[in-house]
Amino acid sequence: MYMKLYTAKMLKGYILIPVFFCCGFGVQAQTKLTGEIADKNGRAIAGVSVDFNHELMRTLSDSDGRFAFTYPDTLTNRSICFRSIGYKTKTMSLNRGQQTLRVILLDSVYSLGTATVSASRNGRFADYSAQTVQMSTFDIVTNPAAMADIIGNMRVLPGVQTNDNDGRLIIQGGSSDESQIYINDLIVANPYSLSAIKNVAVRSRFTPDLFSGVVLRSGGFNAEFGQALSGIVNLNTKAREQMTAKTDIAVSSIYSGLTHIVQKPAYACRASIDYNNIFLAEKISGFAYDAVKPYQSVKSDIFVEGDLSPDTKMTAQFSGSHANSIYMYANADGAGTANHLTQTYLYGQMNFHHAFGDRLSLSAATNLVVDGLSGTGMARNDDALATQNIWNHSKVTLQYRTAKAVNRSGAEFIANPYRETYTLPDGDYRRSAHSNLAAVYSDTKFFLSDKLSVSTGLRGEYKTGMRKWNVAPRLYMAYRADDVHIFSVSAGDYFQLPATDYLKVTDRLDFASVRKATVAYSYVRHESKFQIDAYYKKYSCLVTGSPETGFDNSGYGHGYGADVFLKSSFRSLEYWATYSFNNTRKRYDNFTVAVAPPYVARHSFNLTLKYWIAALKSLPAANGYISSGRPWYADDMRTKAGETPHHSRIDVSWSFLPAQWIVVHFGCQNILGRKNVYGYEYSAASPGRRKTITAAYDRFVFLGVFITLSRSKTLNQLKSL
């Protein structure tokens, strides 16, 4: 019925417009305008709303991106506006008598329902989420809370918390293993750096300048993405046209690095090598543990993107790193152990995309991770641990689009063999796990009008070893009242395999699951965004138990909350503000009843400020957060023992350009030296004795110089400066 009325309204407009012109202007000279609309890669865009002279005339582009209409030459104001979901709105003026027009629409950071389109390699499809925010490399590098770490910068986003003694993502009350990191639509196993010792925050092992954008999806995500209960982070590597030939040199108190980029007409290549050693940073900042051998690592990356033909694109990425450290750690009884860890991490991924004309395209991708870890002093001085974790994720996707709908359907397979050997004086103890998962998925996005879209998805998964399967339906609807006001709702089921720590003990476990619903409102204008959302999630089949008593899927829980997010600017001042409320109760792990998890705060607030001082060629920035205290539990995991004091931290940074191609960056995290308490470790010998769990650093200081060598001599590593 809606479509009939909408069509009738359009037909009525087309009938009345010529009559209006004939009556008002008489017989006058007419100009017929024809045009084509395409994206930055030259692919036609169907269903674009084309408005002439403030909706005096309106039409939609066809499946080939073409449009046409006729207008009188006597019009003094000849403006034309193009609007399409997932692209920036474009308004332009027409010259008198102009008959042809070719329009290029650029990707929009925010699209309908705050859904961010992130399929630059795999064709265009709007990944839906009621809570989606995209960050640029510049946002990450200049945020003092992040210290150029992708995951560290996530704390400025709605619904996200990170703990200074861990560093992993906590999204809307979900534990860190409830989220996944994707690169170009494939899951990356163990995306965090080596955790050298207890209570030290990990970092992402991937550098932000490799990616065109970092997208967090927490309210919901389409059926192509799986194996996450709370949210995903999708990292999209840069396109060839976004890479500029140059050489970057970095020297800092933490690492030294060299990056070289070659750009050719058909391909671009980026190669880098980094050496990390935090010896100097520990001496400057003060460290809670005795470093026999400070953390150090060597890492190398190679990334290539190119065109195999006009219709075929390919990306290839390879990364390898080796890290080690030796630290002395004392438990609550004062007994010390020498914790010696060594990790070798190898990662490779390839993506192909081929277009069969304007409507049909094929994407194929595969990755491989080989992660080897060895260490001593894991629980006692005379033990040793060696693990090998292999991960492969492969998928094939077909996309078909028309003027009114886009469908992406495909299949994927995940193989994850794992084995470990734990050695004690009395012998070796070996365990292994094999996680093989096959999945099929289909998503269709319907453009019911230029204001309303509906996305439906269905995902099915089968775990071969467990002989378990699931079906996950998903729905997303968004209504754009006008160019700035967006209302959206999403609902769906999400499943995830048990963690390896459980599967190496027993393979008789089912998928954990969450049923989630979210409503959201967004106000988006230019580079500013205001968003408020509310969500509810219900957990089932969570893993509970222990190695001694065994594990099962009797866990359950629920969570609800709300997030408020604001990003805007005033002249030279840019500000991000986030408030999150979360109330989660879960029965999981060793807990015998549903409890508030000790890793998430009920209330949290974060504020980031950046101010450009042109006269000083400087960008000072500050970040502050405060959150309510978190519950902590006695060793029996049954009763709440108390609640920690509130957490807070203030970080500052200063970026200075002594020359256009040189950046000097200073940063200090927790500049006031506040000791946040994250719980207590209890004595095994004396029940009344305990050790406070805090971050290993009172504050962390960073100083670096970044030099860019290029032909223009105007490039630097903070392009927005």
Short mmCIF file of all heavy atoms in Angstrom, two decimals, residues 43 121 240-241 264-268 304-316 350-355 362-364:
data_model
loop_
_atom_site.label_atom_id
_atom_site.label_comp_id
_atom_site.label_asym_id
_atom_site.label_seq_id
_atom_site.Cartn_x
_atom_site.Cartn_y
_atom_site.Cartn_z
N ARG A 43 31.75 2.41 -10.24
CA ARG A 43 30.61 1.51 -10.33
C ARG A 43 29.31 2.31 -10.21
O ARG A 43 29.18 3.18 -9.35
CB ARG A 43 30.69 0.44 -9.26
CG ARG A 43 31.81 -0.56 -9.47
CD ARG A 43 31.70 -1.72 -8.50
NE ARG A 43 31.99 -1.32 -7.15
CZ ARG A 43 33.19 -1.41 -6.58
NH1 ARG A 43 34.20 -1.89 -7.27
NH2 ARG A 43 33.39 -1.04 -5.34
N ARG A 121 36.32 -3.78 -0.48
CA ARG A 121 36.91 -4.85 -1.27
C ARG A 121 35.84 -5.79 -1.83
O ARG A 121 36.03 -6.44 -2.83
CB ARG A 121 37.87 -5.70 -0.41
CG ARG A 121 38.96 -4.90 0.25
CD ARG A 121 39.87 -4.23 -0.77
NE ARG A 121 40.86 -3.42 -0.11
CZ ARG A 121 40.64 -2.20 0.35
NH1 ARG A 121 39.46 -1.66 0.22
NH2 ARG A 121 41.59 -1.51 0.93
N ARG A 240 44.08 1.37 -2.87
CA ARG A 240 45.30 1.82 -3.55
C ARG A 240 45.36 3.33 -3.66
O ARG A 240 46.41 3.95 -3.45
CB ARG A 240 45.37 1.19 -4.93
CG ARG A 240 46.66 1.48 -5.67
CD ARG A 240 46.65 0.91 -7.08
NE ARG A 240 45.78 1.65 -7.97
CZ ARG A 240 44.57 1.24 -8.36
NH1 ARG A 240 44.10 0.08 -7.95
NH2 ARG A 240 43.83 1.97 -9.17
N GLU A 241 44.23 3.96 -3.98
CA GLU A 241 44.23 5.41 -4.17
C GLU A 241 44.41 6.17 -2.86
O GLU A 241 44.68 7.37 -2.86
CB GLU A 241 42.93 5.86 -4.85
CG GLU A 241 41.66 5.46 -4.13
CD GLU A 241 41.13 4.11 -4.60
OE1 GLU A 241 41.91 3.34 -5.20
OE2 GLU A 241 39.96 3.84 -4.35
N LYS A 264 51.87 2.57 -7.70
CA LYS A 264 51.93 2.48 -9.16
C LYS A 264 50.50 2.55 -9.71
O LYS A 264 49.53 2.43 -8.96
CB LYS A 264 52.60 1.17 -9.59
CG LYS A 264 54.04 1.03 -9.10
CD LYS A 264 54.96 2.06 -9.72
CE LYS A 264 56.40 1.87 -9.26
NZ LYS A 264 57.32 2.89 -9.84
N PRO A 265 50.36 2.74 -11.03
CA PRO A 265 49.01 2.84 -11.59
C PRO A 265 48.13 1.62 -11.32
O PRO A 265 46.92 1.75 -11.15
CB PRO A 265 49.27 3.02 -13.10
CG PRO A 265 50.62 3.65 -13.17
CD PRO A 265 51.40 3.05 -12.03
N ALA A 266 48.73 0.43 -11.27
CA ALA A 266 47.93 -0.79 -11.12
C ALA A 266 47.98 -1.38 -9.72
O ALA A 266 47.19 -2.27 -9.40
CB ALA A 266 48.37 -1.84 -12.13
N TYR A 267 48.91 -0.93 -8.88
CA TYR A 267 49.01 -1.52 -7.55
C TYR A 267 49.71 -0.55 -6.60
O TYR A 267 50.33 0.44 -7.01
CB TYR A 267 49.78 -2.85 -7.59
CG TYR A 267 51.27 -2.70 -7.80
CD1 TYR A 267 52.14 -2.63 -6.72
CD2 TYR A 267 51.81 -2.61 -9.08
CE1 TYR A 267 53.51 -2.47 -6.90
CE2 TYR A 267 53.17 -2.47 -9.28
CZ TYR A 267 54.01 -2.40 -8.18
OH TYR A 267 55.36 -2.24 -8.37
N ALA A 268 49.61 -0.85 -5.31
CA ALA A 268 50.34 -0.13 -4.27
C ALA A 268 50.84 -1.15 -3.27
O ALA A 268 50.17 -2.16 -2.99
CB ALA A 268 49.46 0.91 -3.58
N VAL A 304 49.83 -5.50 0.01
CA VAL A 304 49.75 -5.18 -1.41
C VAL A 304 48.29 -5.11 -1.82
O VAL A 304 47.49 -5.98 -1.46
CB VAL A 304 50.46 -6.24 -2.28
CG1 VAL A 304 50.36 -5.88 -3.76
CG2 VAL A 304 51.92 -6.38 -1.87
N GLU A 305 47.94 -4.06 -2.54
CA GLU A 305 46.62 -4.00 -3.17
C GLU A 305 46.79 -3.64 -4.64
O GLU A 305 47.58 -2.75 -4.98
CB GLU A 305 45.71 -2.98 -2.53
CG GLU A 305 44.47 -2.90 -3.39
CD GLU A 305 43.34 -2.05 -2.91
OE1 GLU A 305 42.87 -2.31 -1.82
OE2 GLU A 305 42.96 -1.18 -3.68
N GLY A 306 46.08 -4.36 -5.50
CA GLY A 306 46.22 -4.08 -6.92
C GLY A 306 45.03 -4.53 -7.72
O GLY A 306 44.12 -5.20 -7.22
N ASP A 307 45.01 -4.13 -8.99
CA ASP A 307 43.98 -4.52 -9.94
C ASP A 307 44.54 -5.59 -10.86
O ASP A 307 45.51 -5.34 -11.59
CB ASP A 307 43.53 -3.32 -10.77
CG ASP A 307 42.87 -2.24 -9.94
OD1 ASP A 307 42.37 -2.58 -8.85
OD2 ASP A 307 42.85 -1.08 -10.38
N LEU A 308 43.96 -6.78 -10.80
CA LEU A 308 44.36 -7.84 -11.72
C LEU A 308 43.76 -7.62 -13.10
O LEU A 308 44.29 -8.10 -14.10
CB LEU A 308 43.94 -9.20 -11.16
CG LEU A 308 44.52 -9.56 -9.78
CD1 LEU A 308 44.06 -10.94 -9.36
CD2 LEU A 308 46.03 -9.46 -9.77
N SER A 309 42.63 -6.92 -13.13
CA SER A 309 41.96 -6.53 -14.37
C SER A 309 41.03 -5.38 -14.01
O SER A 309 40.88 -5.06 -12.83
CB SER A 309 41.18 -7.71 -14.96
OG SER A 309 40.02 -7.96 -14.20
N PRO A 310 40.38 -4.75 -14.98
CA PRO A 310 39.45 -3.67 -14.63
C PRO A 310 38.33 -4.10 -13.69
O PRO A 310 37.79 -3.27 -12.97
CB PRO A 310 38.91 -3.23 -16.00
CG PRO A 310 39.99 -3.58 -16.96
CD PRO A 310 40.59 -4.85 -16.44
N ASP A 311 38.01 -5.39 -13.70
CA ASP A 311 36.90 -5.87 -12.87
C ASP A 311 37.35 -6.70 -11.68
O ASP A 311 36.50 -7.16 -10.90
CB ASP A 311 35.95 -6.72 -13.73
CG ASP A 311 35.29 -5.91 -14.83
OD1 ASP A 311 34.91 -4.75 -14.57
OD2 ASP A 311 35.18 -6.43 -15.95
N THR A 312 38.64 -6.93 -11.53
CA THR A 312 39.13 -7.81 -10.47
C THR A 312 40.15 -7.08 -9.60
O THR A 312 41.14 -6.54 -10.12
CB THR A 312 39.79 -9.07 -11.05
OG1 THR A 312 38.87 -9.70 -11.94
CG2 THR A 312 40.17 -10.03 -9.94
N LYS A 313 39.90 -7.09 -8.29
CA LYS A 313 40.81 -6.48 -7.33
C LYS A 313 41.34 -7.55 -6.39
O LYS A 313 40.68 -8.55 -6.11
CB LYS A 313 40.10 -5.39 -6.52
CG LYS A 313 39.65 -4.19 -7.35
CD LYS A 313 39.00 -3.14 -6.46
CE LYS A 313 38.56 -1.93 -7.27
NZ LYS A 313 39.70 -1.21 -7.85
N MET A 314 42.54 -7.31 -5.88
CA MET A 314 43.17 -8.26 -4.97
C MET A 314 43.93 -7.51 -3.88
O MET A 314 44.54 -6.48 -4.13
CB MET A 314 44.15 -9.16 -5.74
CG MET A 314 44.87 -10.21 -4.90
SD MET A 314 46.40 -9.59 -4.12
CE MET A 314 47.43 -9.35 -5.55
N THR A 315 43.85 -8.02 -2.65
CA THR A 315 44.68 -7.52 -1.57
C THR A 315 45.37 -8.71 -0.92
O THR A 315 44.78 -9.81 -0.82
CB THR A 315 43.88 -6.76 -0.50
OG1 THR A 315 42.95 -7.66 0.12
CG2 THR A 315 43.12 -5.59 -1.10
N ALA A 316 46.59 -8.49 -0.49
CA ALA A 316 47.35 -9.53 0.21
C ALA A 316 48.09 -8.88 1.37
O ALA A 316 48.67 -7.79 1.21
CB ALA A 316 48.33 -10.22 -0.73
N MET A 350 44.39 -13.02 2.16
CA MET A 350 44.20 -12.62 0.77
C MET A 350 42.71 -12.42 0.52
O MET A 350 41.88 -13.21 0.98
CB MET A 350 44.77 -13.65 -0.20
CG MET A 350 46.26 -13.88 -0.05
SD MET A 350 46.97 -14.95 -1.34
CE MET A 350 46.89 -13.82 -2.75
N ASN A 351 42.39 -11.35 -0.22
CA ASN A 351 41.01 -11.04 -0.60
C ASN A 351 40.95 -10.80 -2.11
O ASN A 351 41.81 -10.09 -2.66
CB ASN A 351 40.51 -9.79 0.12
CG ASN A 351 40.28 -10.00 1.59
OD1 ASN A 351 41.23 -10.13 2.36
ND2 ASN A 351 39.03 -10.03 2.00
N PHE A 352 39.93 -11.39 -2.75
CA PHE A 352 39.69 -11.16 -4.17
C PHE A 352 38.26 -10.65 -4.35
O PHE A 352 37.35 -11.06 -3.64
CB PHE A 352 39.86 -12.45 -4.98
CG PHE A 352 41.28 -12.93 -5.07
CD1 PHE A 352 41.80 -13.76 -4.10
CD2 PHE A 352 42.10 -12.53 -6.12
CE1 PHE A 352 43.11 -14.21 -4.17
CE2 PHE A 352 43.41 -12.97 -6.19
CZ PHE A 352 43.92 -13.81 -5.22
N HIS A 353 38.10 -9.75 -5.31
CA HIS A 353 36.77 -9.25 -5.65
C HIS A 353 36.67 -9.11 -7.16
O HIS A 353 37.54 -8.50 -7.80
CB HIS A 353 36.50 -7.90 -4.99
CG HIS A 353 35.21 -7.27 -5.44
ND1 HIS A 353 33.99 -7.74 -5.03
CD2 HIS A 353 34.96 -6.24 -6.28
CE1 HIS A 353 33.04 -7.02 -5.59
NE2 HIS A 353 33.60 -6.10 -6.35
N HIS A 354 35.62 -9.71 -7.74
CA HIS A 354 35.41 -9.64 -9.19
C HIS A 354 33.98 -9.21 -9.46
O HIS A 354 33.02 -9.74 -8.87
CB HIS A 354 35.68 -10.98 -9.85
CG HIS A 354 35.50 -10.95 -11.34
ND1 HIS A 354 36.42 -10.39 -12.20
CD2 HIS A 354 34.47 -11.39 -12.13
CE1 HIS A 354 36.00 -10.50 -13.44
NE2 HIS A 354 34.83 -11.10 -13.43
N ALA A 355 33.82 -8.23 -10.36
CA ALA A 355 32.50 -7.74 -10.73
C ALA A 355 32.09 -8.30 -12.08
O ALA A 355 32.83 -8.20 -13.06
CB ALA A 355 32.52 -6.21 -10.80
N LEU A 362 31.49 -11.18 -7.09
CA LEU A 362 31.93 -12.33 -6.31
C LEU A 362 33.11 -11.91 -5.45
O LEU A 362 34.05 -11.26 -5.93
CB LEU A 362 32.35 -13.47 -7.24
CG LEU A 362 33.06 -14.68 -6.58
CD1 LEU A 362 32.06 -15.45 -5.71
CD2 LEU A 362 33.67 -15.58 -7.63
N SER A 363 33.09 -12.31 -4.18
CA SER A 363 34.19 -12.05 -3.25
C SER A 363 34.67 -13.37 -2.68
O SER A 363 33.86 -14.25 -2.36
CB SER A 363 33.75 -11.13 -2.11
OG SER A 363 33.26 -9.91 -2.60
N ALA A 364 35.97 -13.50 -2.55
CA ALA A 364 36.57 -14.68 -1.93
C ALA A 364 37.73 -14.23 -1.06
O ALA A 364 38.49 -13.32 -1.43
CB ALA A 364 37.06 -15.67 -2.99
#
